[in-house]
Structure formats: structure tokens, C-alpha cells
Amino acid sequence: MPLRWDEFIVTGDPFILVAQISIVLTSIIAVVALTYFKKWKYVWNNWVTTVDHKKIGIMYIACALLMLFRGGVDAMMMRTQLAAPELDFLSGQNYNEIFTTHGTIMIIFMAMPFLIGLMNVVVPLQIGARDLAFPFLNNLSFWTFFFGMALFNISFIIGGSPSAGWTSYFPLASNDFSPGVGQNYYALGIQLSGIGTLATGINFIVTILRMRTKGMSLMKMPMFTWTVFITSLIIVLAFPVLTVALAMMTFDLLFGTHFFTLQGEGLDMLWANLFWIWGHPEVYIVALPAFGIFSEIISTFARKKLFGYNAMVASIVVISGLSFLVWVHHFFTMGNSAAVNSFFSITTMAISVPTGVKIFNWLFTLHKGKIRFTSPMLWSLGFIPNFVVGGVTGVMLAMAAADYQYHNTYFLVSHFHYVLIAATVFSCFAGLIYWYPKMFGHRMNERIGKWVFWIFMIGFNVCFFPQYFLGLDGMPRRIYTYLEGDGWFTLNFISTIGAFMMAAAFALFVYNIYYSWRYEKRDTTGDPWDGRTLEWATSSAIPPHYNFAHQPEVSERDAFWDMKEKGIDLNASTDYEKIHMPNNTWLGPVMAFFMFTASFALVFSWWIPAILSGVAIFVCMIFRSFDYNDGYYVSVEEIEETEKKAKEA
């Protein structure tokens, strides 16, 4: 695609100029710091090429926090624009771009990787495994996600951002109505990241089915592992639909086919259906692991077994099935027949039943529990009423007749933020604080953590609760300004105050990471919360790369709690055996990098670089196919030394 230089690098906007300067400065600082402290080799050997599931999990979480910042800045800009009528803080085009990137980043590049990061850190430890089933694939999955994220984000400064909304409905997303390369970035960035997510789903299914430690039957698995297992099944069933839909979109955008356009017998509703066949299960891909996290935390800090374990497992299985039968509720206003609307209305409302079962499970677990109000527990307790508000308004939206009134208003915006933030963002904060000692060897400061919780919780409700009434007052979603006579100023202004309170809480959370690193006491027990599941049986601060010196044997559901009650010390024996582990790999990041260069070239229709990158990917695959390196053994001497240091600490 012939481009002028000033079309390639986006210029003329102060926000973009600030972003360009900050990216350049951050890059320079990172390069100088790594060079000055001589950390290039350390970063390459210990992080870039690692196949250790715990380190990969930490990298996922770090990226997700960065994207939470980026998506949060987008949200602040949108709320500033809507704080008062007829503001010109953002132009209509700027607003559309920021609105699109906010939704896409928060779902694809923040919520999912944050939870996948926690899954990576915790699940192998919870089931007593040494790593995931396919360590190389895990490394490759992370780097495809990372480069997909990078590709999507650089659209802001190179070529131009997508602006057709995070759903990218056709014909709006077509070349006719969205000229430029923004939609190309959307299709290829999500596609690249989605490859990693799909591989991750396969990896966790095999890991959980094949690598559980002795005695851990399916019905003795921790609830978080159960939710990860069901989530992985949803990923494997739903993501191929998105993959195919994005490939068809790419053909429409780059090669002039007409799958979704209005010309050549294309069907714009075909995109909408394919998108939501993936999109609604996606809600549960980011919600079910959250339910698992809350279950672990509530059980630990109520000091009781999870009430109704079997019912909880059954409910998440039912939810996963129903999640594939509700997508048409996004089209109640698009002219379906009464019979079709009724079927999908009933299936949508039916999800509230197993969801309600889980709420009662958590409440009965709390009943007569010796509750400790730690900061992860506060996030879990705060989740319940806020999620119920989101769920009840979801049932209101599930009624097709009522949905005609609510659908394209801020009522819907408030509903899905109450569901997604209460479930996913709350769980990300809760899970990170809860498992933070396992990753970094110390807890986060509790006093600051509770300040973060209360500021965020109040700000969240101040921000989104007024939006229900804005919706009932008829304020449409996706508008970038309104008139004074519309009467929406007061509630919008209050909502904006709440959004800035949430931003302040996030800034305080980041400060807490720094403060805790400097001043919090180091954990030497490996079990700072008096935990119940196997991950607490290992040492803190990224346990040894082999996880367990002795493979644990499980006889009860809360395996580590049971061991503590029976006085069983998993590390008492010094009779070790050598342990087989996989090697690090440079091939994963290199292959993902060539996927990035191929995708970037396709964005601009640069065919020769795209073909060369494709050849490089193929060469990497051949190299991998003939790589007979089968890993290495951790010697008994190394295990003895590692375990001795852990005991001395």
C-alpha cells in the first residue's frame, strides 16, 4: 500500500504526540537500565525464553496491568468528554477510536491475560504437577498474545486506530465506512492473540486431565482448577469461531471479498452472529475463573470447606452449556420472530439459576465462619452484592419486550460493567493479592490494600449506578456528546467523579506494589494465609522450577488443610530422586515475532515482507519438528541444596 510518511506515522493530535513521546522515553529508559545493570542476559535466560509456568504467569499479569492502565486512560478520556454537555475535549473520531480500543483492550488484552496469568501460576501447583503439559506451547502462547497486544496498540501511533466499536459490526467496519488500516489492526491483532489463547485452552485441558497428582480425582480438585478446566473447554469450542470470523473479515478488508459487506450478496448479520457465538461464551471465559478465585478466597478466610462443592461444579457445567445458547439476545431489536426471541430470552434467563446457586454456596460458606477481613476477602465480599445488581438487571434485559426499551441505552452499559468489573476486575485484584506471596515472597500491605478497596468500591458504584438512570432517561450509548436540554448533565458529572475515584484507587494499588516491595516482611513459611490447597505447600517467591521435591499424594478435597490437620510434612523426607524438566526455548518468542512482522506487513498490504515472514514461521516450525532435545534432569544434589535453603529461610 503506497503511503506517505505523514500517513504512516500518525501526527497532528496532542494525545498521540504525548503517547509517542512516552513510548520513546520508556523504551530509552528500559534499554539504558538493562544495559547499565547488565541484565540483558538475565532477562533473556530467566524470562524471555522461560517455560516455567509461574514466570510465564507473572509476565501475563504484568502485561494485563499495563493494559488496565491503557484501557483505564481511555475510560478517563471518555468520561471527561461526557462530564458536561457539548464539550470538545475529544472529537467524534477520537471518541470512536478510544471507545473501540477501550472495549477491545479491556476484554481481550486485560481481563483474559490477567486470569490466564493467575491460571498459569496456580493451577499446576494446585494439582501437584511440575509444569503444564506442553511447556513450549505455553511459552509460544504467551509470546503470540504479547505480539498480538503490541500489534493492536501500535495502531494508535502508526497508521491509525480502529473506530468501529469493539464489536466491529458490518457494514460500519468495512472499507467503505472505515477507511484506513485501523480495522486491519483489529482483525490481525486479535487473531494473533487468539492463537495463543486457543493453545492455552488446549494446554490446560490436557494438563488438568493428565497431570493431577496421585489421589486427586476430578471431584477432589480445588474449585479454581475446576473453573479453569471448564473455561478451557469453552475456549476450545468458542475461539475457533472467532478465528474463522476474523479470517473472513481479513479477506473482506484486504482482498475485497464480500462475506460481510453489503455488496456481492454479503451478509452483515453473519458477522454479528459469528462474533456473538464467540462473544457471549467469552463473558464466561472471563467470569468462571473469577468464580473459582472467589471460592478459594472465601473458603480460606471463612476457615471452612466450600459449601455445596458438588452443586458448584454442576452449576458451572450448566452455565458453560447455556453460554452457547444465548447469543441472539444481542439481536432482540433486530427483527427476529417472536419464537426466536422467546427461546433465547428463556435460555438467557435460565443462566440466572445456576448463577444464583453459586451465590448461595458462597453465602452458606460464610455462615458461621470465622471470617478474617483481609483485603482479598474484602474484594470477594464486595463482589457478591455488586454482581447481584448486574445479574438482576441482566434478567431485565433478557426479556425481549423490555430489551426494546433498554438495549441501546446506558442501562446496558451499566449492566455489563456491573457484571464484568464486579466479577473479573474484582477477582483479578483479589487473586493477585491472595497469590502475591507465592509469586514475590511477601504480602501486599494490608492497610494500603484496604484503602484501595474502599476507594475503588465507592468510585465504582458512583460511576456506574447513575448510568442505569441515564439509560432509563433515554441516553443512548456510543454517543460522544449531548445537549444541555437533554437533562443528562448531573448524572454524567457524578459518573465521571466515580471514574476518577477508580483511577485514583488503581494508582494507589500500583504504589502499594512499590511500598510492599520495599517494606513488607518477607514470607518464609510458604503459607502466609493458612491456606487449604496444595499451592501453599511450596515455598514462596516463585517456588523451585520443579515445584515439589516430592510429588504430593492427596486423600481429601482441601488437600493441604488435610495434611496440616494430620501433621503430614510434605518436605520432611530428604530421600530425593532426580526430576525431569523441559529446557528453555528461544524458538517461541522468535516464531511469535515473525507472526508479528507478518501481521504488521499485512496491515499495510506489504506482500513481500508478509511472505518472507511467513516463510520464516514455516522454517521455525520445521526446526521445532526436528528438535529432539527432550529436556534435562534436576540432580539430587541441586534439589537437596534448594530445599535446604528453603528450610533455613
Side-chain angles (χ1 to χ4, degrees):
M1 177 185 292
L3 281 174
R4 296 200 312 270
W5 181 249
D6 61 344
E7 291 176 331
F8 183 67
I9 301 293
V10 182
T11 58
D13 187 296
F15 296 115
I16 292 174
L17 180 62
V18 170
Q20 290 167 334
I21 293 172
S22 61
I23 288 171
V24 170
L25 286 178
T26 304
S27 301
I28 292 173
I29 291 170
V31 170
V32 170
L34 288 173
T35 305
Y36 181 79
F37 292 107
K38 300 179 180 177
K39 292 292 185 182
W40 285 104
K41 188 176 180 181
Y42 168 80
V43 170
W44 177 261
N45 289 336
N46 288 275
W47 294 94
V48 176
T49 62
T50 185
V51 295
D52 186 336
H53 65 94
K54 302 177 288 294
K55 292 180 178 177
I56 290 174
I58 290 171
M59 290 194 290
Y60 267 115
I61 293 169
C63 291
L65 283 171
L66 186 64
M67 288 299 98
L68 182 58
F69 172 75
R70 163 72 203 276
V73 170
D74 288 344
M76 292 305 102
M77 295 169 74
M78 285 190 291
R79 284 314 318 167
T80 302
Q81 169 64 24
L82 294 172
E86 298 184 81
L87 284 181
D88 56 1
F89 177 69
L90 296 174
S91 68
Q93 179 62 23
N94 283 150
Y95 187 89
N96 287 343
E97 291 174 358
I98 290 169
F99 160 80
T100 301
T101 54
H102 169 74
T104 308
I105 284 174
M106 284 302 198
I107 295 290
I108 304 290
F109 301 117
M110 193 292 287
M112 272 204 306
F114 208 128
L115 292 167
I116 288 174
L118 292 174
M119 290 154 60
N120 257 286
V121 172
V122 177
V123 168
L125 293 171
Q126 277 199 336
I127 64 173
R130 301 208 183 280
D131 205 326
L132 290 182
F134 308 115
F136 169 82
L137 189 63
N138 198 27
N139 175 284
L140 180 63
S141 297
F142 169 76
W143 285 110
T144 52
F145 150 73
F146 176 86
F147 283 115
M149 175 189 74
L151 184 69
F152 185 84
N153 276 275
I154 62 173
S155 66
F156 192 58
I157 58 173
I158 299 177
S161 298
S163 59
W166 89 279
T167 54
S168 281
Y169 284 142
F170 278 79
L172 180 60
S174 67
N175 287 329
D176 292 336
F177 295 96
S178 295
V181 296
Q183 288 307 124
N184 299 356
Y185 273 116
Y186 174 93
L188 291 159
I190 296 177
Q191 187 74 286
L192 186 52
S193 175
I195 291 170
T197 304
L198 181 58
T200 297
I202 296 168
N203 213 342
F204 273 100
I205 290 172
V206 177
T207 301
I208 292 170
L209 287 179
R210 301 289 300 170
M211 298 181 67
R212 299 189 311 278
T213 195
K214 189 176 181 182
M216 184 175 283
S217 62
L218 285 176
M219 294 309 288
K220 286 180 182 170
M221 290 196 306
M223 185 51 63
F224 180 60
T225 299
W226 250 115
T227 57
V228 171
F229 178 58
I230 299 298
T231 300
S232 301
L233 290 174
I234 298 176
I235 287 173
V236 169
L237 292 172
F239 262 78
V241 179
L242 179 68
T243 302
V244 171
L246 288 171
M248 294 161 74
M249 172 190 265
T250 305
F251 270 77
D252 273 9
L253 296 174
L254 296 184
F255 303 111
T257 57
H258 298 291
F259 290 111
F260 305 128
T261 60
L262 295 178
Q263 302 88 17
E265 300 183 356
L267 293 172
D268 53 335
M269 279 301 292
L270 177 60
W271 165 261
N273 275 280
L274 290 174
F275 181 87
W276 284 113
I277 287 173
W278 161 81
H280 209 83
E282 167 68 16
V283 173
Y284 296 94
I285 289 172
V286 297
L288 289 183
F291 298 158
I293 292 169
F294 292 131
S295 298
E296 300 292 348
I297 292 173
I298 288 173
S299 176
T300 297
F301 294 113
R303 306 185 205 195
K304 286 178 63 184
K305 281 188 176 180
L306 185 67
F307 180 87
Y309 176 93
N310 293 344
M312 183 79 93
V313 172
S315 69
I316 61 175
V317 172
V318 171
I319 287 174
S320 67
L322 287 173
S323 70
F324 286 93
L325 299 175
V326 298
W327 82 91
V328 173
H329 70 218
H330 294 276
F331 318 134
F332 282 161
T333 59
M334 295 186 184
N336 294 312
S337 67
V340 171
N341 277 356
S342 298
F343 174 81
F344 286 97
S345 181
I346 292 168
T347 53
T348 302
M349 283 190 276
I351 287 188
S352 63
V353 177
T355 304
V357 168
K358 292 197 301 299
I359 298 290
F360 284 108
N361 285 139
W362 293 317
L363 292 178
F364 281 116
T365 304
L366 291 168
H367 180 58
K368 293 186 177 180
K370 297 176 182 177
I371 299 172
R372 288 178 289 165
F373 291 96
T374 60
S375 49
M377 186 62 160
L378 288 178
W379 285 107
S380 305
L381 296 177
F383 147 78
I384 294 175
N386 287 289
F387 185 74
V388 168
V389 170
V392 168
T393 50
V395 174
M396 293 169 67
L397 286 160
M399 293 182 284
D403 188 67
Y404 269 76
Q405 173 67 27
Y406 307 135
H407 188 77
N408 277 321
T409 72
Y410 260 76
F411 190 91
L412 181 61
V413 175
S414 185
H415 155 69
F416 70 70
H417 279 93
Y418 259 90
V419 171
L420 284 176
I421 292 182
T424 306
V425 177
F426 285 18
S427 73
C428 288
F429 281 128
L432 178 58
I433 299 168
Y434 181 57
W435 284 304
Y436 200 84
K438 196 54 54 183
M439 291 182 266
F440 301 106
H442 59 271
R443 296 198 296 193
M444 294 185 73
N445 183 271
E446 277 287 291
R447 183 170 56 85
I448 301 174
K450 289 175 180 175
W451 274 104
V452 171
F453 168 77
W454 285 112
I455 295 172
F456 193 96
M457 184 62 63
I458 294 170
F460 168 68
N461 282 283
V462 170
C463 179
F464 291 106
F465 203 71
Q467 293 181 13
Y468 281 124
F469 297 97
L470 283 170
L472 294 174
D473 280 348
M475 180 173 171
R477 54 180 175 156
R478 298 167 178 154
I479 60 171
Y480 85 101
T481 190
Y482 52 91
L483 302 174
E484 188 174 355
D486 291 328
W488 301 325
F489 164 62
T490 304
L491 290 174
N492 266 305
F493 188 76
I494 292 171
S495 183
T496 300
I497 292 173
F500 277 89
M501 288 179 69
M502 293 164 71
F506 178 73
L508 191 58
F509 181 82
V510 174
Y511 171 73
N512 196 10
I513 292 175
Y514 165 75
Y515 182 90
S516 304
W517 171 66
R518 286 292 303 272
Y519 301 111
E520 278 299 302
K521 183 180 177 184
R522 267 43 192 170
D523 173 58
T524 56
T525 66
D527 183 24
W529 304 115
D530 197 13
R532 307 179 71 86
T533 41
L534 276 181
E535 73 269 29
W536 303 109
T538 63
S539 57
S540 287
I542 309 182
H545 55 290
Y546 50 78
N547 289 350
F548 299 92
H550 303 287
Q551 287 291 100
E553 186 172 343
V554 171
S555 58
E556 295 291 334
R557 196 167 285 159
D558 287 347
F560 187 48
W561 187 263
D562 178 60
M563 289 178 186
K564 287 191 285 190
E565 284 191 326
K566 293 177 179 174
I568 299 172
D569 183 358
L570 195 60
N571 300 312
S573 172
T574 56
D575 185 17
Y576 302 114
E577 295 180 358
K578 62 182 181 180
I579 298 170
H580 182 260
M581 296 298 294
N583 282 319
N584 284 4
T585 177
W586 55 266
L587 201 52
V590 169
M591 192 186 300
F593 173 76
F594 285 124
M595 292 181 188
F596 168 80
T597 57
S599 301
F600 183 75
L602 285 174
V603 166
F604 293 94
S605 302
W606 296 340
W607 307 117
I608 294 177
I611 292 170
L612 291 176
S613 297
V615 171
I617 296 167
F618 189 64
V619 170
C620 287
M621 294 170 71
I622 293 174
F623 189 87
R624 172 64 183 170
S625 300
F626 291 94
D627 181 7
Y628 298 110
N629 191 325
D630 194 31
Y632 69 102
Y633 282 93
V634 183
S635 67
V636 171
E637 291 75 19
E638 182 182 339
I639 299 170
E640 286 175 342
E641 186 178 353
T642 304
E643 297 302 313
K644 183 180 176 184
K645 286 180 180 176
K647 288 179 181 177
E648 290 174 350

